[in-house]
């Protein structure tokens, strides 16, 4: 049996895709890129914005036609949209299986059942905000620690989930309703998983959580925080770089985390810490529990403790009620924050969230678009200036492999392809070199820069 996997959304989803792929391979299925030769199509979906869901629906529309010609093709929808829409999604002509994020251990069985019986199957969580039942939590834990989470496309790297779910309830966000309550994984399970990955040649692990700095695991006498975990991961032999995403801007644990970053050369000096808005009024309406000046205070502290830190953020523009003045406050915050880069999104109302229930989506699309473009342009100037400071400097990168896009300055390559690598601070670096460097560290001298990418020569 052959399967195709199409994955949308964030790193959490990419990790689930890797875990399910590994479990299916273990169960005797073979991964293929080609829908024509596949018996099963899996789609891992995202619900964070309407646009993400529309892309999935249009993909399902396409599969519907393929299935009319090949009724035996099994289509399984997993991920956040599966949990959010449940049986409504199952009604779709193309869909055989709808499986939520907490039910992924059941996928191999569900697929085998669907191939044999041709019945539609729904596997999602009924009351998602109830505490996760022990049996389900154990099944997820076993599934997670047994599967291989290394990134097959990017050698040497792996993602490791340290917690599931989210309890922050930002008013715009669907995540707490589709990924359920926060649950931190036991540190010994995480460490033993990372030791296995290191034995297989993994050099960089990225610890994942929706608000990863909220990680907290209590055993008898000790409570483990993310700072403890980072220190433990740094001690795993073979692991050279540790990254972690994403952080919630809260006082809790942040100083300790920054201290470990300052003390351990393995913990990468990169902090992704979304602010969402620079207006206190909007932050309140979003239920973000800080003010703009408190947030900037956190960034100051981060730079005091880790002077070479690179900081990245997220913004939402066009939240209900965002006036010109509110947006201006966001622009001002962006200038003060001096992000290395940031992600900017237009507000998209999500059914069932507090913002959608209580606030009218009253910022016109063209205003959202203008604000998005303006903020991006401001950030580009800052990113460009920061990038330029790397000119003529040497950087260390973890090489990912051949660059997918040909870049302009491919002049001197002596037969070597263009590779891309990433620095500890998450800059993409393009240079010519032998493909066998993929998965290893290399030193590159920077000769040219653009806002988000550095170009250079292998040393
Ligand atoms: N609309 C627009 N952007 C959103 N995000 C989360 N929910 C929404 C929404 N409803 C953004 C936030 C978050 C990132 C992952 O997606 O900026 O940090
Ligand atoms: Fe959503 Fe807020 Fe949780 Fe992030 S912290 S996943 S934005 S609710």
């Amino acid at each position: 049996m052959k399967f195709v996997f199409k994955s949308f959304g964030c790193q959490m989803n990419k990790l689930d895709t890797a875990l399910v792929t590994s479990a299916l391979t273990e169960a005797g299925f073979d991964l293929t890129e080609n829908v024509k030769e596949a018996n099963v199509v899996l789609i891992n979906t995202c619900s964070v914005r309407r646009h993400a869901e529309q892309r999935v629906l249009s993909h399902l529309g396409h599969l519907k036609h393929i299935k009319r010609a090949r009724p035996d093709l099994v289509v399984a929808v997993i991920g956040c949209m599966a949990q959010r829409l449940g049986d409504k999604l199952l009604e779709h002509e193309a869909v055989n299986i709808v499986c939520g994020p907490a039910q992924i251990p059941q996928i191999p069985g569900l697929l085998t059942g669907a191939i044999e019986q041709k019945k539609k199957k729904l596997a999602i969580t009924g009351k998602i905000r109830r505490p996760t039942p022990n049996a389900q939590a154990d099944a997820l834990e076993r599934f997670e620690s047994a599967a291989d989470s290394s990134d097959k496309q990017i050698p040497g790297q792996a993602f490791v989930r340290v917690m599931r779910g989210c309890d922050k309830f930002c008013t715009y966000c669907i995540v707490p309703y589709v990924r359920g309550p926060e649950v931190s994984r036991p540190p010994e399970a995480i460490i033993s998983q990372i030791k296995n990955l290191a034995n297989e040649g993994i050099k960089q692990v990225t610890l994942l959580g929706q608000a990863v700095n909220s990680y907290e695991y209590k055993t008898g006498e000790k409570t483990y925080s993310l700072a403890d975990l980072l220190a433990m991961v740094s001690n795993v032999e073979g692991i050279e770089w540790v990254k972690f995403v994403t952080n919630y801007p809260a006082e809790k644990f942040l100083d300790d985390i920054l201290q470990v970053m300052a003390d351990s050369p393995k913990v990468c000096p990169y902090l992704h810490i979304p602010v969402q808005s620079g207006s206190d009024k909007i932050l309140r309406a979003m239920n973000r529990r800080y003010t703009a000046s408190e947030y900037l205070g956190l960034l100051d502290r981060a730079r005091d403790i880790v002077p070479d830190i690179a900081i990245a953020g997220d913004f939402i523009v066009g939240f209900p009620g965002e006036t010109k003045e509110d947006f201006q406050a966001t622009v001002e915050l962006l200038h003060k924050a001096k992000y290395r880069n940031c992600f900017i999104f237009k507000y998209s109302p999500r059914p069932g969230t507090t913002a959608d229930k209580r606030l009218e989506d009253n910022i016109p699309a063209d205003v959202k678009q203008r604000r998005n473009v303006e903020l991006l342009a401001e950030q580009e100037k800052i990113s460009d200036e920061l990038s330029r400071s790397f000119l003529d400097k040497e950087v260390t990168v973890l090489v990912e492999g051949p660059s997918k896009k040909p870049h302009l300055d491919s002049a001197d390559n002596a037969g070597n392809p263009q590779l891309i690598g990433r620095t500890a601070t998450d800059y993409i670096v393009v240079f010519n070199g032998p493909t066998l460097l993929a998965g290893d560290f290399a030193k590159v001298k920077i000769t040219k820069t653009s806002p988000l990418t550095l170009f250079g020569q292998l040393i």
Side-chain angles (χ1 to χ4, degrees):
M1 287 289 154
K2 294 194 169 167
F3 68 102
V4 164
F5 222 133
K6 178 124 181 110
S7 194
F8 296 87
C10 65
Q11 281 166 335
M12 270 299 172
N13 263 20
K14 289 202 186 115
L15 171 58
D16 285 339
T17 297
L19 294 175
V20 173
T21 301
S22 158
L24 286 175
T25 315
E26 192 74 5
F29 290 84
D30 294 308
L31 181 66
T32 166
E33 305 270 299
N34 187 353
V35 182
K36 287 202 184 97
E37 61 170 32
N39 312 88
V40 177
V41 177
L42 288 123
I43 310 171
N44 197 356
T45 61
C46 168
S47 286
V48 88
R49 279 170 291 277
R50 197 164 80 102
H51 176 67
E53 295 200 341
Q54 281 168 331
R55 283 175 62 205
V56 170
L57 292 174
S58 83
H59 190 63
L60 285 176
H62 169 67
L63 285 173
K64 183 173 82 182
H65 294 291
I66 298 184
K67 268 191 84 157
R68 284 191 185 153
R70 289 171 51 207
D72 281 349
L73 186 69
V74 170
V75 175
V77 182
I78 70 171
C80 295
M81 226 176 134
Q83 176 60 40
R84 189 176 93 72
L85 295 170
D87 44 14
K88 276 191 231 124
L89 206 51
L90 199 62
E91 282 167 19
H92 192 290
E93 186 185 327
V95 177
N96 300 80
I97 293 169
V98 171
C99 174
Q103 283 72 25
I104 53 174
Q106 301 173 28
I107 290 193
L110 286 168
L111 289 183
T112 315
I115 292 165
E116 284 162 7
Q117 297 161 13
K118 313 262 166 313
K119 269 202 217 125
K120 292 199 178 223
K121 274 272 191 300
L122 178 68
I124 58 170
T125 305
K127 299 250 189 299
I128 186 96
R129 293 301 308 172
R130 291 259 176 89
T132 317
N134 286 340
Q136 188 180 66
D138 292 348
L140 271 173
E141 187 50 53
R142 274 199 307 278
F143 184 76
E144 184 120 29
S145 34
D148 175 9
S149 67
S150 60
D151 192 321
K152 297 289 180 293
Q153 265 104 49
I154 309 180
Q157 305 192 12
F159 293 100
V160 173
R161 181 168 10 234
V162 301
M163 56 191 298
R164 307 191 174 87
C166 185
D167 290 344
K168 303 292 182 284
F169 288 100
C170 304
T171 56
Y172 50 81
C173 186
I174 194 75
V175 169
Y177 307 94
V178 288
R179 292 264 172 181
E182 284 181 5
V183 181
S184 294
R185 294 183 59 213
E188 65 274 11
I190 295 168
I191 298 299
S192 97
Q193 198 181 346
I194 293 176
K195 282 184 180 156
N196 290 341
L197 289 165
N199 284 338
E200 287 162 25
I202 294 297
K203 300 202 170 78
Q204 171 182 299
V205 287
T206 304
L207 308 184
L208 295 184
Q210 301 293 347
V212 70
N213 53 325
S214 300
Y215 176 87
E216 191 172 40
Y217 191 88
K218 291 196 178 85
T219 54
E221 64 290 0
K222 189 167 163 59
T223 300
Y224 291 86
S225 66
L226 185 71
D228 297 324
L229 207 54
L230 287 170
M232 289 157 76
V233 178
S234 307
N235 286 331
V236 175
E237 206 179 312
I239 299 297
E240 300 294 336
W241 280 3
V242 187
K243 295 179 175 172
F244 55 98
V245 285
T246 279
N247 294 277
Y248 185 86
E251 296 283 321
K252 199 182 169 195
F253 304 141
L254 206 61
D255 278 13
D256 295 349
I257 292 167
L258 292 164
Q259 200 54 56
V260 180
M261 201 183 260
D263 294 342
S264 166
K266 291 188 180 177
V267 179
C268 295
Y270 173 80
L271 190 71
H272 179 239
I273 187 161
V275 65
Q276 313 299 2
S277 170
S279 149
D280 289 340
K281 180 193 94 189
I282 297 295
L283 287 171
R284 254 196 319 278
M286 288 176 163
N287 190 31
R288 302 287 286 184
R289 299 154 206 190
Y290 51 84
T291 61
S293 76
E294 282 166 355
Y295 176 83
L296 289 168
L298 287 180
L299 299 197
D300 285 343
R301 279 227 304 285
R303 290 182 166 122
D304 276 346
I305 303 175
V306 187
D308 59 344
I309 198 168
I311 299 177
D314 292 356
F315 289 95
I316 295 176
V317 295
F319 188 81
E322 184 186 72
T323 61
K324 260 203 281 205
E325 291 72 28
D326 294 319
F327 178 66
Q328 217 39 54
T330 295
V331 176
E332 267 164 43
L333 184 138
L334 177 131
H335 277 286
K336 291 183 185 152
K338 290 234 177 313
Y339 293 112
R340 158 169 137 31
N341 72 316
C342 62
F343 304 94
I344 301 163
F345 305 102
K346 290 176 272 191
Y347 172 68
S348 168
R350 304 315 297 138
T353 59
T354 311
D356 184 53
K357 284 193 256 183
R358 300 209 188 133
L359 306 168
E360 189 199 341
D361 179 18
N362 61 359
I363 308 300
D366 61 321
V367 176
K368 285 182 185 169
Q369 178 62 16
R370 256 203 330 270
R371 290 180 183 171
N372 191 346
V373 170
E374 184 181 335
L375 210 53
L376 263 178
E378 291 301 315
Q379 179 57 42
E380 197 168 304
K381 288 186 229 158
I382 298 169
S383 295
D384 195 38
E385 204 177 304
L386 289 174
S387 293
R388 276 173 207 278
S389 67
F390 284 91
L391 264 182
D392 297 326
K393 301 233 164 77
E394 282 177 23
V395 297
T396 302
V397 297
L398 181 56
V399 182
E400 299 194 349
S403 160
K404 292 204 180 77
K405 282 184 270 179
H407 288 273
L408 295 175
D409 62 345
S410 55
D412 83 76
N413 61 26
N416 279 324
Q418 288 206 359
L419 302 180
I420 69 157
R422 261 176 215 265
T423 65
T425 51
D426 221 42
Y427 273 100
I428 298 169
V429 181
V430 181
F431 59 100
N432 290 109
T435 317
L436 56 84
L437 277 180
D440 275 324
F441 290 98
K443 279 200 167 24
V444 179
K445 184 167 177 178
I446 301 306
T447 53
K448 193 183 133 183
T449 66
S450 74
L452 294 177
T453 312
L454 308 176
F455 302 86
Q457 277 159 359
L458 188 65
I459 300 172

